[in-house]
Structures are given as structure tokens and as C-alpha cells.
Amino acid sequence: MSTQEIQPESHTMSDSQAMSDSQAKSEPQAMSQTNTSLTEIPLEQVLPHRAPMILIDKLLEQAPDTLLTEVSISTDSAYFDAASQSVPNYVGIEYMAQSIAALAGLEASARGEPIRVGFLLGTRKLTFAIPAYRLGERYQTRVSRLYQEDNGLAVFDCKIFHNNQLVAEANVNVFQPQDTQAYILESQAGTEEEKTR
């Protein structure tokens, strides 16, 4: 799955934090298509983000409607907490969202279209099996499109793995409008209207 060997970790989860045994043993499934040059694509080319707000580190594998990415936790990682020597688990939602954005960027590039901004609308069935992403460890995020409407609304099944164990999962709702500026202005107008009521 990964292009690098992942070192084992001795971290043990409490019963309240752990997922079911069947979930914990879930592995990132091998994808039907891989691209050896995918790992060499600069993330700035497929994401509408710029450093230091690019949180994922590498694109690993792509298949239709699916992408696998990786993040390596270092002291330079966004949201790294020096006291706990880790990144809080809720940042995993952003790993999922940026992996979705990277998939959209790869697909847009393949069509010869510009990279467009997307919006995270919400999550369902969000579960964390670990309290944090630990310094020196690598985590893989797999995002798979469940469905997408013509207007840009989509739902993705997202899972984060560590040493082939499932450590976080969610269904993530996103929206990628054709005209980002018009969408932002429309949203702002709606917010102002709500304030005057």
C-alpha cells in the first residue's frame, strides 16, 4: 500500500477509545490502479492551499473516486503540541478534507481544469480510536467518493490508518461550487439577512 515501510507502534488504546476488533483490523485495501509518479507530485499543484496550511505530506495511490494520502507527524506539523508530543486527533478531519481536495485537484488536472476551492459542510459517523497522532509516526488517509451531485455536493467515506489499523473514520460532506466567489458572497448575504431578523 504505502511506498515506505511503516514501523510498528506499541501504543495501546483503552476500551472506551478502541473501535470494535473488526474495525481495528481493517486495512487500507489495495487500489486497482496505482501511479508511481503520484508520490512526486507537489501538493501545491493539486490543493487550493499553501504552506504552512498544507497538512498532508504525500499522495500514495489513486483509483477512480479514491485517493490514499500520508502524513508524517513531526515537530513542524500543523497543530503539533509540544507538551504531548503529538497532534490532536480532531485534526484528522482536516487530513480527510485535504485528501478529498487533493483527489478533486488530481481529477481537475486530468480534465485540464483549474483547481477550485471546496467547502467542508459536515461529518457523520465520526469516530476516533486514538487520542492523538504521535510524533515520528505515519498515518494514511483513504477517501472514497460515495456519490456526487451535479451541483458539486458530494459525500466521501474517509478512513485513517496507522500500521494497517483503522484509527479514525467518518462520512464527510463537501461542496465544490462552480463559482466560489459567488457562493461566498451569497453565503455572506444570507448571514447578514439572518442578523437583521
Side-chain angles (χ1 to χ4, degrees):
M1 173 213 64
S2 171
T3 55
Q4 300 180 10
E5 188 70 18
I6 303 176
Q7 298 301 316
E9 175 184 309
S10 60
H11 179 67
T12 303
M13 296 178 284
S14 71
D15 290 341
S16 62
Q17 293 170 329
M19 295 181 180
S20 69
D21 288 342
S22 62
Q23 288 175 316
K25 292 176 183 176
S26 238
E27 295 184 5
Q29 298 174 359
M31 306 219 182
S32 59
Q33 300 174 15
T34 60
N35 185 344
T36 54
S37 63
L38 196 66
T39 58
E40 299 169 10
I41 295 176
L43 291 166
E44 293 85 354
Q45 288 185 11
V46 295
L47 285 174
H49 302 74
R50 293 295 174 265
M53 293 316 297
I54 295 178
L55 274 60
I56 58 177
D57 294 320
K58 188 184 298 183
L59 309 176
L60 294 180
E61 297 179 10
Q62 182 185 8
D65 297 315
T66 303
L67 183 67
L68 187 70
T69 68
E70 185 173 82
V71 61
S72 301
I73 305 302
S74 72
T75 55
D76 294 326
S77 295
Y79 306 105
F80 180 79
D81 178 66
S84 65
Q85 294 289 285
S86 64
V87 172
N89 62 4
Y90 58 80
V91 180
I93 298 170
E94 187 62 23
Y95 297 153
M96 296 175 185
Q98 289 199 9
S99 297
I100 292 169
L103 176 60
L106 286 166
E107 293 171 338
S109 294
R111 295 189 302 265
E113 298 174 0
I115 306 303
R116 291 187 284 125
V117 173
F119 298 88
L120 173 64
L121 300 183
T123 62
R124 293 180 62 246
K125 302 178 183 177
L126 176 63
T127 309
F128 295 117
I130 55 174
Y133 306 103
R134 297 172 53 186
L135 178 64
E137 300 296 329
R138 293 193 296 273
Y139 300 85
Q140 294 78 40
T141 301
R142 185 181 68 220
V143 296
S144 300
R145 185 183 288 107
L146 297 178
Y147 75 89
Q148 181 158 346
E149 298 179 5
D150 292 339
N151 67 357
L153 182 66
V155 178
F156 284 80
D157 173 65
C158 303
K159 290 180 169 62
I160 299 177
F161 298 91
H162 177 250
N163 288 344
N164 292 329
Q165 287 194 324
L166 182 64
V167 298
E169 64 179 329
N171 282 353
V172 176
N173 303 322
V174 296
F175 179 58
Q176 189 177 52
Q178 288 292 330
D179 188 336
T180 304
Q181 192 61 31
Y183 174 74
I184 292 172
L185 291 173
E186 182 180 322
S187 298
Q188 290 174 339
T191 302
E192 290 302 318
E193 186 177 334
E194 286 293 325
K195 288 180 182 177
T196 59
R197 290 182 183 175

